[in-house]
Amino acid sequence: MCPYRAMVIVATHWVDDSFGFALGWKLFFYEAVFIPFEASALDLVITFWSDKVPLVAVCVGCIVLYGWTMKINATLISAVEHILDITSL
């Protein structure tokens, strides 16, 4: 949930602490519910073409890909923030 941290910080700073807290939980539950539905939809599409791919492989692949994209996003966001901090006057 690292890429969403900036949204929670901005909401806490500009609106209210409770709004930032609620936004953090909303984003967490969104990701916690969205990923299993997307994995099951991907499994449905893959089994439409071929029954040779097991469900476990699809689930593990989705989890690995989501983790990888979250790491890349967090790395890029921190690099951009670092560059913007250096270049600000």
Side-chain angles (χ1 to χ4, degrees):
M1 200 165 105
C2 290
Y4 300 120
R5 185 173 182 265
M7 291 173 54
V8 173
I9 290 173
V10 169
T12 302
H13 179 72
W14 290 104
V15 180
D16 191 15
D17 289 338
S18 60
F19 183 72
F21 179 78
L23 182 64
W25 277 105
K26 179 231 168 241
L27 292 170
F28 170 74
F29 283 124
Y30 173 74
E31 288 294 327
V33 170
F34 182 67
I35 292 173
F37 280 118
E38 190 165 305
S40 64
L42 182 64
D43 182 58
L44 184 68
V45 169
I46 289 174
T47 55
F48 178 75
W49 289 324
S50 173
D51 290 332
K52 295 180 181 178
V53 180
L55 174 65
V56 174
V58 174
C59 291
V60 168
C62 283
I63 291 170
V64 167
L65 285 176
Y66 266 104
W68 181 71
T69 56
M70 286 296 215
K71 180 166 176 35
I72 294 296
N73 286 341
T75 304
L76 289 176
I77 287 172
S78 65
V80 168
E81 285 178 353
H82 181 67
I83 290 169
L84 290 175
D85 286 342
I86 289 174
T87 58
S88 67
L89 296 174

